[in-house]
């Protein structure tokens, strides 16, 4: 999912999978909670122009592009991971403190920009929150893709 060259990553998966073998991927969907988080991150640290969004792997249409006719996708299933935090702010604090790429990016921001980023990141899960009690319980959708190498 986070491979900087998605076509090359797909080609390598095909190279190491024998015909009849299984290719399986799990990728966050672009319209889910994590997709929205990555759009927010992209405002503060845009990826290099040649790097495609990792969220693209989370769509059946995009998966068919780099794998072409070399994989018969037998199951494309949207699944859910439940994010549970004390609050939306806690989610932002946790990702900034412990999730390597966000931690590193946030550490390079000046203090005012870092506060703005943290506040914006904390605002992302609000639309997905189902808790109703001030805590955060939000579904993060991902695409589980399983196919057979032709």
């Amino acid at each position: 999912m986070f491979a900087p060259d998605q076509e090359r990553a797909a080609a390598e998966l095909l190279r190491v999978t024998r015909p009849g073998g299984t290719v399986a991927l799990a990728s966050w969907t672009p319209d889910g909670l994590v997709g929205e988080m990555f759009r927010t991150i992209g405002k503060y640290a845009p990826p290099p122009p040649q790097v495609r969004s990792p969220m693209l792997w989370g769509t059946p249409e995009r998966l068919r592009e780099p794998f072409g006719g070399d994989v018969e996708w037998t199951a494309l299933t949207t699944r859910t991971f439940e994010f549970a935090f004390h609050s939306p702010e806690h989610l932002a604090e946790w990702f900034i403190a412990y999730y390597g790429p966000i931690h590193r990016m946030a550490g390079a921001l000046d203090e005012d920009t870092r506060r703005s980023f943290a506040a914006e990141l904390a605002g992302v899960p609000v639309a997905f929150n189902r808790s109703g009690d001030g805590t955060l319980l939000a579904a993060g959708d991902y695409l589980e893709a399983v196919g057979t190498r032709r």
Side-chain angles (χ1 to χ4, degrees):
M1 176 175 182
F2 294 108
D5 185 338
Q6 294 175 359
E7 281 70 21
R8 195 164 137 200
E12 183 64 9
L13 281 170
L14 292 171
R15 187 188 72 75
V16 300
T17 306
R18 65 175 169 69
T22 300
V23 175
L25 302 158
S27 304
W28 298 111
T29 61
D31 297 328
L33 171 60
V34 178
E36 291 297 326
M37 288 174 64
F38 274 94
R39 271 188 277 291
T40 299
I41 294 162
K43 292 179 191 176
Y44 292 85
Q50 70 276 14
V51 174
R52 288 184 179 220
S53 167
M55 297 298 106
L56 294 175
W57 284 102
T59 65
E61 299 77 23
R62 172 63 182 134
L63 280 180
R64 289 183 179 104
E65 290 174 24
F67 291 99
D70 293 323
V71 174
E72 178 185 346
W73 296 107
T74 54
L76 296 169
T77 308
T78 300
R79 300 212 182 268
T80 301
F81 175 82
E82 293 292 334
F83 287 88
F85 286 88
H86 298 298
S87 66
E89 294 77 18
H90 182 228
L91 174 137
E93 291 166 8
W94 189 91
F95 273 89
I96 290 169
Y98 300 110
Y99 183 66
I102 294 175
H103 174 78
R104 189 166 156 181
M105 181 274 296
L109 301 174
D110 65 66
E111 192 57 36
D112 288 341
T113 305
R114 187 175 185 279
R115 273 196 296 274
S116 296
F117 169 66
E120 195 168 342
L121 189 61
V124 171
V126 171
F128 297 88
N129 194 358
R130 302 185 319 277
S131 75
D133 65 3
T135 63
L136 175 67
L137 181 61
D141 291 342
Y142 64 94
L143 178 67
E144 180 186 86
V146 180
T148 303
R149 169 78 157 91
R150 291 184 176 150

